Amino acid sequence: MRIIDKETKPHCTLIEKKFEWGEPYTIMTPIFLIPTSEYTSLLEFSIDIYGENNFKQQLIFLYNKLRNYEDDCLENLDKSIKNREGLINRINTYN
């Protein structure tokens, strides 16, 4: 039987099964929420993905890199960051 647990973050599907000897167990599979609205940058998209799906460590890492102007440590970032304070404020909405 499949159940969607909406109390977890991210939401999970729960599948109840039994071992051969009859003991029950549950398989939890996360359902990640991916926003579909338009973004002006991949950083904004990443912040929303991390925030909506409760990736706190990634948000803290990104927050610290933006706050300390350590843009060279961000992989695959080929543009300069123009709206640093806006990105930091967007991260703060998820904390």
Side-chain angles (χ1 to χ4, degrees):
M1 176 166 66
R2 276 182 193 225
I3 302 169
I4 296 179
D5 184 4
K6 294 186 178 182
E7 293 182 15
T8 60
K9 190 146 181 148
H11 300 322
C12 293
T13 58
L14 305 175
I15 301 173
E16 297 175 354
K17 292 190 173 188
K18 290 187 178 187
F19 289 111
E20 296 170 354
W21 55 88
E23 183 179 342
Y25 67 96
T26 303
I27 299 174
M28 295 180 71
T29 307
I31 303 171
F32 296 107
L33 303 173
I34 299 182
T36 57
S37 62
E38 292 295 318
Y39 293 95
T40 57
S41 75
L42 289 175
L43 280 175
E44 290 177 357
F45 180 72
S46 298
I47 290 168
D48 287 344
I49 292 284
Y50 296 153
E52 291 293 325
N53 295 297
N54 204 28
F55 291 115
K56 296 291 185 187
Q57 288 182 327
Q58 287 81 359
L59 275 177
I60 291 169
F61 173 80
L62 188 55
Y63 177 84
N64 288 333
K65 296 300 175 186
L66 289 172
R67 183 59 86 188
N68 295 325
Y69 292 86
E70 297 175 352
D71 303 342
D72 55 335
C73 294
L74 298 174
E75 291 183 30
N76 300 324
L77 182 66
D78 53 354
K79 297 182 190 176
S80 63
I81 298 174
K82 295 180 178 146
N83 187 11
R84 186 176 307 275
E85 286 302 317
L87 294 172
I88 290 171
N89 290 336
R90 191 178 204 113
I91 291 172
N92 286 334
T93 61
Y94 291 107
N95 289 334

